[in-house]
Amino acid sequence: MKTIYYKSFVYVFLTCQLMVVLHTLPSQFKFNSYTAEILTRILFSITKVNHMYNFFTDPLKTGKYSYTTNNMILLKSDHQLIQEKVLTRNGSIKSAVHKLNQARVSHIQSLATRDTALYNAVIRSQALYFISKNKEFPLFSVQVLNHDCKVLRIGNVFSRVEKVDTIYHNLFSIE
Amino acid sequence: MNFQIPYQVKANIFAYPSYGYATSQFEYFRIGIALFSLFNFLLFLLDYDVLLAYNGMINWEVTNANSFWFEPHLQKFTNFISPTLLLNILSFTYILSLSLLAIGYKTGITSIISFLCFLLFSFQLYPYLYGVDLYQSVLLFFLCIFPSGYSKSLFQKKIKPTTNSIQQIAVRAIQIYLMITYFSAGIGKVQMPSWLNGEFLFLSISDPTYQLIPFPNYFAASFFAISGCIVVFMELFYPLLIFIPMIRSLLLIGIVGMHAFIVLFMGLVPFGTLLIIINLIAWYPLFRKDFITIFQNKKS
């Protein structure tokens, strides 16, 4: 008898998963009730199923490929010369963390294309962090680039062609 | 030709409960998930100052500002306790509960504590999280719901008579969850022509923000096209191929190979590792059965 409860749970859980796959949850539901919205948020905060399948850089499945890079530089003036310290490598802040954690930080800059308000807060926090760790460099420069990629096929070999646009550029200082 | 479908369409998902099930399988799942979660958290500890600390690269205030009022972000507790002390207590609790979960001590309570600690960290760390953490959250959630037993525990206890049948339900849930996951990934990719002609695979491998070990660039376009088609085929037909003897073992080898590739060349180390662990635990009884069949055929 007890197994019925477990089976019911599995049916509900897997139905939720399938509904996510079929794009019927949660944004397609227009919740009018504030309470229902909050209950849904709590449920998905716990199970996180609503984020489960958003792995692709191309959610519209058009097959286009793009990625975002950033260049972060700390600057200081020294006897009328500008000295710089480059913080990024291969377009991301990988060098700040251990090799095994690189994937966790290499896409933060893509927030600039997805959630500008959050990115503005994140980049301010990053500026504060790097300036406070390198006190001799009072100025922090950041440039975020979007790379729209296309493949050029010559014979049986692929090569990449990119259209690069600057989507964010800013300077920060603590003062 | 007598073609027999091993899993009747009319049957519900809990039919043939012994298919792909072995005694202690859910215990191996518990041990695997607990050890993986420890590994995943220890990676965060390697960059404590950058990723975890209050004034790290993304300040707690930033993520707290983006959280809902009911989400227990760590920043909300800093009025009562210092952030560093709070982080240390939480880290210690998480590591302790995962270690106890792995060795099988009070698995019900320790899995709930582990899951809650993970949730607390996830509110603070969400800009750094990706697919692997979402999988981990769901799998820890399964451990909170289903009893994992004590036969492989260092603290052996007598289990209830129903535990075995509940564990069969749990294993079936994990197996179907994997099927849905791969199928949805496959259906996403098959809609993109660039996956079938190899262009998407080529671009994602040559994306400099991903790379851990750079993939050699002298491979022919046909290599990427064939590999792309194989990936789409494996993912799309995963829920069917897993029922065909021998083919299912080839599928598993292919899936493990694909995730090993992701680990090496795309740098998604925890993601690839977790998916390899889950696939092996979910399907090893079938893999073992195929292996025994091959061995017996050779002998006779």
Side-chain angles (χ1 to χ4, degrees), chain B residues 184-196:
Chain B
S184 68
I187 206 104
K189 289 185 178 100
V190 81
Q191 292 170 60
M192 297 191 267
S194 56
W195 257 103
L196 301 173

Side-chain angles (χ1 to χ4, degrees), chain B residues 36-48:
Chain B
F36 171 80
S37 304
L38 267 177
F39 163 72
N40 202 19
F41 187 65
L42 291 177
L43 290 183
F44 272 106
L45 290 182
L46 284 176
D47 292 303
Y48 182 95

Side-chain angles (χ1 to χ4, degrees), chain A residues 6 13 34 41 45-47 52-53 55 61 63 65 67 94 97-98 101 104 106 118 125-126 129 156 160, chain B residues 40 43 47 50 57 59 66 68 71 128 133 138 145 177 184 188 194 206-209 211 220-222:
Chain A
Y6 288 97
F13 184 83
Y34 182 61
R41 290 289 306 184
S45 285
I46 294 169
T47 61
M52 204 62 222
Y53 302 98
F55 297 155
K61 312 283 184 282
Y65 193 92
Y67 65 96
K94 285 175 180 179
V97 293
H98 190 274
N101 281 329
R104 296 210 175 272
S106 61
L118 177 60
S125 175
Q126 286 184 316
Y129 174 80
N156 198 23
R160 194 175 62 193
Chain B
N40 202 19
L43 290 183
D47 292 303
V50 186
M57 194 162 70
N59 199 293
N66 276 276
F68 279 79
E71 289 177 338
Y128 302 119
D133 307 287
V138 170
I145 302 289
Y177 175 64
S184 68
S194 56
S206 59
D207 183 336
T209 56
Q211 291 173 344
S222 48

Side-chain angles (χ1 to χ4, degrees), chain A residues 1-4 6-11 13-15 17-18 21-23 34 37-58 60-70 72 89-94 96-109 111 114-115 117-118 121-130 132-133 147 149-153 155-162, chain B residues 12-14 39-40 42-47 49-51 55-59 62-63 66 68-71 115 118-119 122-123 126-135 137-138 141-142 145-147 160 162 165-166 169-170 172-173 176-177 180-189 191-195 197-200 202-212 217-225 235 266-271:
Chain A
M1 185 64 190
K2 205 179 171 186
T3 56
I4 288 173
Y6 288 97
K7 284 181 179 174
S8 308
F9 163 78
V10 173
Y11 276 123
F13 184 83
L14 294 176
T15 306
Q17 297 286 333
L18 269 176
V21 173
L22 300 171
H23 297 286
Y34 182 61
E37 171 80 31
I38 288 174
L39 284 174
T40 316
R41 290 289 306 184
I42 291 172
L43 174 68
F44 290 120
S45 285
I46 294 169
T47 61
K48 301 217 185 310
V49 290
N50 57 329
H51 303 296
M52 204 62 222
Y53 302 98
N54 299 331
F55 297 155
F56 300 109
T57 52
D58 180 15
L60 298 173
K61 312 283 184 282
T62 56
K64 285 182 183 165
Y65 193 92
S66 65
Y67 65 96
T68 322
T69 58
N70 63 1
M72 287 182 185
R89 181 162 51 86
N90 292 335
S92 73
I93 195 67
K94 285 175 180 179
V97 293
H98 190 274
K99 209 166 178 148
L100 296 176
N101 281 329
Q102 286 180 355
R104 296 210 175 272
V105 297
S106 61
H107 290 85
I108 292 175
Q109 66 275 5
L111 281 173
R114 291 184 282 121
D115 190 341
L118 177 60
V122 165
I123 195 62
R124 275 171 171 72
S125 175
Q126 286 184 316
L128 186 67
Y129 174 80
F130 287 112
S132 63
K133 290 279 172 193
H147 303 246
C149 302
K150 275 191 178 162
V151 170
L152 202 64
R153 186 174 177 153
N156 198 23
V157 178
F158 281 149
S159 61
R160 194 175 62 193
V161 187
E162 292 184 357
Chain B
N12 70 61
I13 58 169
F14 297 109
F39 163 72
N40 202 19
L42 291 177
L43 290 183
F44 272 106
L45 290 182
L46 284 176
D47 292 303
D49 286 342
V50 186
L51 305 176
N55 53 357
M57 194 162 70
I58 299 178
N59 199 293
V62 173
T63 46
N66 276 276
F68 279 79
W69 60 265
F70 55 84
E71 289 177 338
F115 179 66
F118 178 82
L119 269 188
S122 70
F123 294 125
Y126 77 86
Y128 302 119
L129 304 187
Y130 61 101
V132 63
D133 307 287
L134 305 176
Y135 271 108
S137 138
V138 170
F141 186 51
F142 276 9
I145 302 289
F146 298 102
K160 291 175 189 164
T162 49
S165 46
I166 294 169
I169 295 168
R172 183 57 51 86
I176 295 173
Y177 175 64
I180 294 174
T181 304
Y182 282 108
F183 177 72
S184 68
I187 206 104
K189 289 185 178 100
Q191 292 170 60
M192 297 191 267
S194 56
W195 257 103
N197 62 22
E199 290 182 2
F200 201 98
F202 168 76
L203 289 172
S204 55
I205 289 172
S206 59
D207 183 336
T209 56
Y210 268 129
Q211 291 173 344
L212 182 67
N217 57 4
Y218 49 73
F219 280 94
S222 48
F223 166 81
F224 293 104
E235 291 189 340
M266 296 179 82
L268 304 172
V269 180
F271 177 80

